[in-house]
Amino acid sequence: MWRLNSGDYHTIYESIDKLWATISSESNFLGQWQEEQDILLNLDFPSTAKAKNPSIDVIGDSVHIVFEYLESENATTAQIYYATANFDRLVLIDSYPAAFFGQAKPVIARFYNTGIDEIFFLYKKNNTEGIYYKRRYLDVNYYWQSGILPNTNSECINPAITAIHGNSECPIHIVWQEGLQIRYQLSKYYPVRGHYFYEKISKGSGYTHNYSPSISITGNGTVITVWTVNNQSGIEKRTLKENDAVVYKAMARVMQNGVWGNFFIAGDNVANTTNNSTSSSTSESVIAWSENSGANAKWVRRVGTEYSCLFSLSPSGSVPVICNSPDLISAKALVFNQSSLPYVIEKSTTNFSTACEGGGGGGDQGKITNEDGTMYGRRGIVMKNGVEFIFNIGDVVVDDSVMNFIPRADTIAYTDYTQLNDVVRTVPFQLNQNSEFYFSNLYYTLYGEVADTALTEIDAVSFRVELVDQFTQTVVGTFDDITYNKNNLEKYENISYQVNCSNIQPGEYYLRLVTTAVGSTEYNLANVQTSTSNLAKKNYETIFFDGKGLPEEYSLEQNYPNPFNPTTLINYQIPKDGLVTIKVYDIIGKEVTTLVNETKSVGRYSINFDGSNLASGVYIYQLRSGDFVSSKKMMLIK
């Protein structure tokens, strides 16, 4: 679907081997559309003809389409045709074996600048060669240029293309799937016609399987590419008590001024990712995808360099389509509703100009019971000669409020781990001894099979999560301090923690991921968003705020300092809930005071003893809980 300068919305789709087109005015997008037109009939093709995989581009109010064509079931050759939507032009682009019909998947970009007019096509012709391109320059001399796109091979499929009008270099941005990776290439008209900047943009994403990219460009020239990802080993979903499961997610990455930034990851059980952008100079894009076999569709918007929280398209459905537009208010969507026969294409009522802000940070918080609430995470990816080391921290919830992460621009490229450490931390939050505090860690390695040749004996990557006092900047807790090296690549965890804060000093804190690396490395960052509905599926491991696990035995520690004047600290732990008493006696056994006499939950505790009103000498303190009794001596010296 594309929006014309006039404000009309033009849609072309495939149904029953035919192509259909319809138009709606801007003011009537949700009302009556024009009756569908049979494109093949209007182009005077025979009734036996079939068509598939239409692609569309618009300049002003001029609509241009390309599609696959098969004259009849008995035809030995299929064709790719280019036509205008008002049917005044029909051009044969190429021919290919009929057995490949439906797999060519042509795409089109129509480019115009003052004195320069160009049309660009990409498509496949077979399974043994790369992606074909064909372009026509409509400047002084009209002529065609064609061939196999450089740097493509038989594994290259699913091309996508975009261009921005008014740029004197006439850049055409191209992405495609090569095997299980996503590639990008820039093609220019001026000053020298050619193909440039071939890159594997899925490198360092933390995912092994990457599929079906889409691409768009914003009014300020920022390129945004979206595709579907998974790890076949089921890393994203596996926990200590679950079997492996493959989870598909939506992945996005942007390029600004020729530099690819970091990643954005969202959704669960994702399919049919797509995106489109506005012509606004504020850099606005909408990303959408379907989930759970089309049972619902989600979207997120990107404005500037940050993302909103997740929202549901209304109505939901599979294969969402977002149109181009001058601004987010004019952006519209269609979905394919397969809930019941007959299947229909529905117009979405979603207003993309209204969304929560701060998906990339900014302190946005919300109750976890919110139906369309979003959980946030940050992921550090360290690459060493093809091996990827990944650590994710997220799903931070404090007293029923979701904690976000500090703002970060998704256009930044990170060159060392100190830069990464500056942004992989949450906004500050309040904790006290009654706080309910949860978070999750996920860490693993990819492509460890090449470690023997890729890593040296000194190469190492370390990750740890720290709980930091916002006021003093001191670390009060450390979680999952691990080191990967050539001999340790298999360690994997996906743990959700419930943090016991019973002994924490009330105040403001934040969580941060700390990465260190030895040897030559590359770095990436990913912002992660998922639905709060995933919280109910987690198995929480209880841990104390200092990073220590639950005590397995009773213990009464020696007081510190000892000797003391006039105060000292007594630490103890209990492995079971129960009544706890701590009493202090003088050297002849006379009770001096009771420090604790109450029911305590399993955990570690501290109590201060003040001997200001006592004489110097030796005293005995005794812990009783259940059948456990322990006593220790301490000395007061004044």
Side-chain angles (χ1 to χ4, degrees):
M1 178 174 65
W2 279 83
R3 184 184 186 277
L4 283 63
N5 280 357
S6 64
D8 290 344
Y9 295 88
H10 198 111
T11 300
I12 296 176
Y13 60 93
E14 170 194 339
S15 179
I16 321 176
D17 293 326
K18 303 291 184 181
L19 298 184
W20 306 89
T22 183
I23 298 176
S24 173
S25 67
E26 180 175 23
S27 61
N28 202 34
F29 177 79
L30 297 176
Q32 183 65 44
W33 284 42
Q34 294 181 9
E35 183 178 351
E36 284 87 350
Q37 300 182 64
D38 184 335
I39 292 178
L40 297 185
L41 179 63
N42 285 328
L43 290 171
D44 294 324
F45 284 122
S47 60
T48 57
K50 296 181 179 182
K52 286 185 177 297
N53 298 320
S55 177
I56 185 173
D57 198 2
V58 169
I59 291 183
D61 290 326
S62 176
V63 180
H64 304 263
I65 61 175
V66 64
F67 56 91
E68 294 185 62
Y69 171 82
L70 187 68
E71 185 172 13
S72 69
E73 290 286 354
N74 298 322
T76 58
T77 302
Q79 290 81 30
I80 295 173
Y81 275 107
Y82 156 67
T84 55
N86 58 1
F87 315 118
D88 63 352
R89 184 182 301 173
L90 179 67
V91 178
L92 175 64
I93 300 302
D94 211 338
S95 299
Y96 57 98
F100 201 70
F101 176 67
Q103 302 176 65
K105 297 182 179 179
V107 291
I108 181 175
R110 188 79 165 84
F111 185 90
Y112 178 79
N113 193 21
T114 304
I116 301 172
D117 198 352
E118 179 182 355
I119 191 165
F120 198 112
F121 305 94
L122 291 172
Y123 52 92
K124 290 280 285 186
K125 290 177 65 173
N126 52 59
N127 286 320
T128 59
E129 297 178 295
I131 296 171
Y132 276 77
Y133 76 94
K134 193 164 188 176
R135 64 196 307 178
R136 185 165 71 164
Y137 304 104
L138 308 179
D139 47 13
V140 177
N141 299 305
Y142 286 45
Y143 67 94
W144 287 96
Q145 184 184 68
S146 61
I148 296 178
L149 192 68
N151 303 307
T152 64
N153 54 46
S154 61
E155 291 189 318
C156 297
I157 57 175
N158 298 324
I161 190 171
T162 192
I164 185 171
H165 304 294
N167 188 307
S168 61
E169 293 183 337
C170 304
I172 303 291
H173 301 275
I174 304 166
V175 291
W176 66 89
Q177 178 185 336
E178 180 181 312
L180 295 173
Q181 301 297 324
I182 305 300
R183 302 279 187 174
Y184 163 85
Q185 189 163 279
L186 174 65
S187 180
K188 291 185 179 179
Y189 172 91
Y190 180 84
V192 179
R193 298 182 179 111
H195 307 282
Y196 309 87
F197 310 123
Y198 168 69
E199 296 183 50
K200 182 167 73 173
I201 62 174
S202 55
K203 175 184 176 182
S205 66
Y207 287 87
T208 56
H209 291 57
N210 303 264
Y211 313 93
S212 303
S214 67
I215 188 170
S216 67
I217 190 166
T218 69
N220 71 345
T222 299
V223 175
I224 180 165
T225 301
V226 179
W227 64 94
T228 306
V229 299
N230 74 62
N231 282 315
Q232 286 292 71
S233 60
I235 285 171
E236 286 297 308
K237 197 169 185 178
R238 186 173 61 188
T239 70
L240 298 179
K241 296 182 179 180
E242 292 179 332
N243 296 324
D244 287 4
V246 175
V247 177
Y248 291 80
K249 292 182 175 290
M251 173 74 73
R253 195 178 188 186
V254 300
M255 181 183 71
Q256 191 174 73
N257 300 322
V259 177
W260 286 96
N262 38 80
F263 296 95
F264 172 81
I265 305 167
D268 287 295
N269 302 316
V270 165
N272 303 308
T273 55
T274 188
N275 81 99
N276 217 325
S277 300
T278 77
S279 56
S280 168
S281 61
T282 56
S283 188
E284 301 171 336
S285 301
V286 176
I287 302 168
W289 61 90
S290 59
E291 294 185 350
N292 302 313
S293 301
N296 51 66
K298 297 284 188 177
W299 67 275
V300 63
R301 76 176 188 181
R302 178 185 180 273
V303 177
T305 61
E306 296 186 13
Y307 297 80
S308 71
C309 58
L310 304 184
F311 279 89
S312 295
L313 272 177
S314 179
S316 284
S318 62
V319 198
V321 175
I322 310 296
C323 77
N324 65 311
S325 59
D327 49 50
L328 288 169
I329 294 177
S330 302
K332 304 297 181 182
L334 297 174
V335 295
F336 185 42
N337 192 328
Q338 296 174 275
S339 59
S340 61
L341 289 171
Y343 299 154
V344 294
I345 296 174
E346 292 190 286
K347 296 160 284 187
S348 173
T349 60
T350 297
N351 180 356
F352 295 112
S353 66
T354 303
C356 67
E357 300 292 346
D364 186 60
Q365 299 178 5
K367 293 295 184 181
I368 64 174
T369 53
N370 183 8
E371 182 180 357
D372 283 325
T374 303
M375 302 299 297
Y376 301 101
R378 284 277 165 86
R379 179 171 299 186
I381 303 122
V382 180
M383 296 163 286
K384 299 179 74 67
N385 298 323
V387 183
E388 295 185 14
F389 305 86
I390 300 96
F391 199 120
N392 189 96
I393 176 176
D395 299 345
V396 184
V397 178
V398 178
D399 296 329
D400 288 340
S401 288
V402 175
M403 295 299 118
N404 212 327
F405 286 73
I406 63 171
R408 65 92 178 96
D410 66 347
T411 54
I412 296 174
Y414 297 92
T415 58
D416 64 66
Y417 61 79
T418 60
Q419 296 174 343
L420 204 65
N421 292 342
D422 285 341
V423 295
V424 190
R425 66 183 180 93
T426 68
V427 297
F429 47 83
Q430 293 288 332
L431 290 178
N432 58 57
Q433 295 177 352
N434 296 314
S435 291
E436 295 183 359
F437 176 21
Y438 304 84
F439 73 95
S440 297
N441 284 343
L442 169 68
Y443 47 93
Y444 58 96
T445 61
L446 292 178
Y447 310 112
E449 63 273 11
V450 303
D452 284 344
T453 56
L455 302 181
T456 69
E457 294 298 330
I458 67 168
D459 285 328
V461 177
S462 297
F463 297 111
R464 68 180 182 275
V465 175
E466 294 178 340
L467 181 63
V468 182
D469 186 305
Q470 169 74 1
F471 179 72
T472 64
Q473 291 298 299
T474 56
V475 177
V476 300
T478 300
F479 310 89
D480 293 331
D481 192 351
I482 65 168
T483 297
Y484 288 115
N485 54 43
K486 186 174 184 177
N487 301 313
N488 176 33
L489 294 172
E490 300 303 320
K491 185 171 179 59
Y492 162 87
E493 294 289 357
N494 186 357
I495 306 176
S496 297
Y497 290 115
Q498 179 177 357
V499 183
N500 186 316
C501 297
S502 59
N503 205 28
I504 200 169
Q505 183 70 29
E508 197 169 58
Y509 297 84
Y510 62 85
L511 274 177
R512 70 183 179 193
L513 170 63
V514 179
T515 302
T516 56
V518 178
S520 176
T521 52
E522 298 176 76
Y523 302 91
N524 270 323
L525 180 73
N527 196 56
V528 183
Q529 294 191 19
T530 55
S531 170
T532 55
S533 62
N534 293 323
L535 288 180
K537 303 175 184 178
K538 294 184 179 295
N539 297 307
Y540 288 99
E541 177 179 324
T542 302
I543 196 167
F544 285 90
F545 74 90
D546 58 5
K548 296 179 180 178
L550 292 174
E552 297 181 355
E553 60 184 18
Y554 290 97
S555 175
L556 178 65
E557 297 182 12
Q558 186 64 54
N559 65 300
Y560 180 84
N562 189 38
F564 66 97
N565 180 26
T567 62
T568 188
L569 185 69
I570 299 171
N571 295 316
Y572 66 96
Q573 67 181 39
I574 57 172
K576 298 179 181 179
D577 298 348
L579 178 64
V580 175
T581 61
I582 298 179
K583 295 185 177 183
V584 178
Y585 303 89
D586 62 19
I587 195 63
I588 62 173
K590 181 180 177 181
E591 182 178 328
V592 174
T593 187
T594 298
L595 299 179
V596 179
N597 185 23
E598 60 183 289
T599 299
K600 294 281 190 180
S601 300
V602 56
R604 296 179 176 85
Y605 298 90
S606 298
I607 186 73
N608 277 301
F609 172 52
D610 188 342
S612 300
N613 297 324
L614 300 177
S616 296
V618 175
Y619 292 86
I620 298 170
Y621 59 99
Q622 183 183 79
L623 165 69
R624 288 181 176 269
S625 183
D627 297 330
F628 178 80
V629 180
S630 179
S631 302
K632 293 187 180 294
K633 294 180 180 180
M634 57 183 172
M635 180 175 290
L636 173 62
I637 299 179
K638 293 186 174 180

